[in-house]
Amino acid sequence: MAPIADGRVSGKKALVTGAAQGLGAAHARVLAREGARVLMTDINADKVAAAAQAINDEFGEGTALALAHDVTDPDDWDRAIACAAEALGGLSVLVNNAGIGVRGTIETCTLEEWRRGFAVNVDSVFLGCQKALPLMKDNQPGSIINISSIAGLIASDTMPGYNASKAAVWMLSKSVALYCAKRGWAIRCNSIHPTFVDTPILDGIGANAGIEKEVIMGKLARQIPLGRIGAPEEIANGVLYLASDESSFMTGAELKLDGGISAL
């Protein structure tokens, strides 16, 4: 199967972090389907290589590339941006997708867990934006898409570390958007805020709780007005919109893909 002719992001050069599975893999596939070339990065080198090969098998060799990448490491970010410059010929779309859950309430969350959560969820976005902007300035128009969470807008008593880190991504995105706009660059920055999505993270939640995934999904679905868990492709479609020139007047905004939960 070839990419869609005159796809919505034809000619775009994208970097997607945390792309070995789940949301990141879905983002990369949808962008590739719509005409972009995609550099997929992840700390799991073998898994991200397999995910990139699956995209190449579907849309043609050279559509996707894979790179081992620790998003908390500034040197690894330098390497990733250099790879984008050499292998893609530039960078016009950055999807800061990598993230982890942060366990524990305000009484049980350890400082180590808190700091690890902020390193992966927030430091990675800061570094990605900072390191990518010089290359993106040479490839305008550009779009930075930061994957936050509805948990960055709506608090829970059980996950202060995750709430706080995802809220930081939300506000950082606005600051970057204003920075670019005030310098006259055609580089936009927005955040996406999904609710529960059917990804391998749900498998881990069920395993840790000793509960089958279907039971977990049922409990989570009952919290969502639409009555179901989201699909990775539904979040990826939001990424596609923000990556495309269709959203050229949208910056510093938050896209809620939450099945209506924030309307409660």
Side-chain angles (χ1 to χ4, degrees):
M1 178 180 178
I4 295 173
D6 298 320
R8 293 166 64 187
V9 288
S10 288
K12 301 288 188 184
K13 306 158 188 175
L15 189 162
V16 182
T17 68
Q21 62 182 357
L23 288 182
H27 303 333
R29 182 186 177 277
V30 168
L31 291 171
R33 185 194 71 203
E34 294 289 336
R37 294 188 67 213
V38 187
L39 173 58
M40 303 168 65
T41 79
D42 200 281
I43 199 167
N44 188 324
D46 292 340
K47 212 163 190 177
V48 76
Q53 188 57 54
I55 288 176
N56 288 330
D57 290 343
E58 187 173 7
F59 300 116
E61 279 301 323
T63 302
L65 301 94
L67 181 70
H69 179 199
D70 179 352
V71 293
T72 69
D73 185 335
D75 292 337
D76 258 20
W77 267 109
D78 288 335
R79 193 163 56 90
I81 298 303
C83 181
E86 181 177 353
L88 299 181
L91 187 64
S92 50
V93 177
L94 171 64
V95 185
N96 282 309
N97 171 79
I100 59 172
V102 186
R103 295 180 297 178
T105 68
I106 191 61
E107 290 191 290
T108 63
C109 180
T110 67
L111 184 58
E112 181 181 9
E113 289 170 327
W114 173 275
R115 287 175 172 167
R116 177 62 179 163
F118 267 75
V120 177
N121 293 349
V122 186
D123 293 358
S124 68
V125 179
F126 165 77
L127 289 169
C129 294
Q130 184 180 74
K131 301 289 188 178
L133 275 175
L135 184 57
M136 293 185 75
K137 282 187 286 185
D138 294 331
N139 292 269
Q140 300 180 49
S143 178
I144 298 172
I145 304 157
N146 296 327
I147 307 301
S148 178
S149 168
I150 202 62
L153 305 176
I154 299 173
S156 165
D157 64 304
T158 61
M159 50 185 190
Y162 192 68
N163 284 147
S165 63
K166 289 301 188 178
V169 172
W170 172 46
M171 199 52 59
L172 174 58
S173 301
K174 292 180 180 294
S175 179
V176 172
L178 292 175
Y179 181 85
C180 294
K182 289 192 174 184
R183 280 153 184 78
W185 302 337
I187 301 174
R188 300 173 294 105
C189 184
N190 297 284
S191 57
I192 291 182
H193 300 258
T195 188
F196 311 115
V197 181
D198 187 5
T199 67
I201 289 177
L202 293 188
D203 297 330
I205 293 174
N208 289 335
I211 303 172
E212 292 184 1
K213 180 182 176 181
E214 291 72 19
V215 176
I216 290 288
M217 290 181 67
K219 288 183 176 181
L220 296 177
R222 286 191 287 275
Q223 300 178 41
I224 301 172
L226 286 183
R228 64 176 177 83
I229 299 295
E233 292 75 15
E234 292 176 304
I235 312 305
N237 287 336
V239 168
L240 175 62
Y241 170 67
L242 291 176
S244 76
D245 295 337
E246 298 163 16
S247 57
S248 58
F249 199 55
M250 186 174 180
T251 196
E254 56 281 338
L255 182 58
K256 302 173 188 175
L257 299 175
D258 65 352
I261 200 168
S262 60
L264 294 172

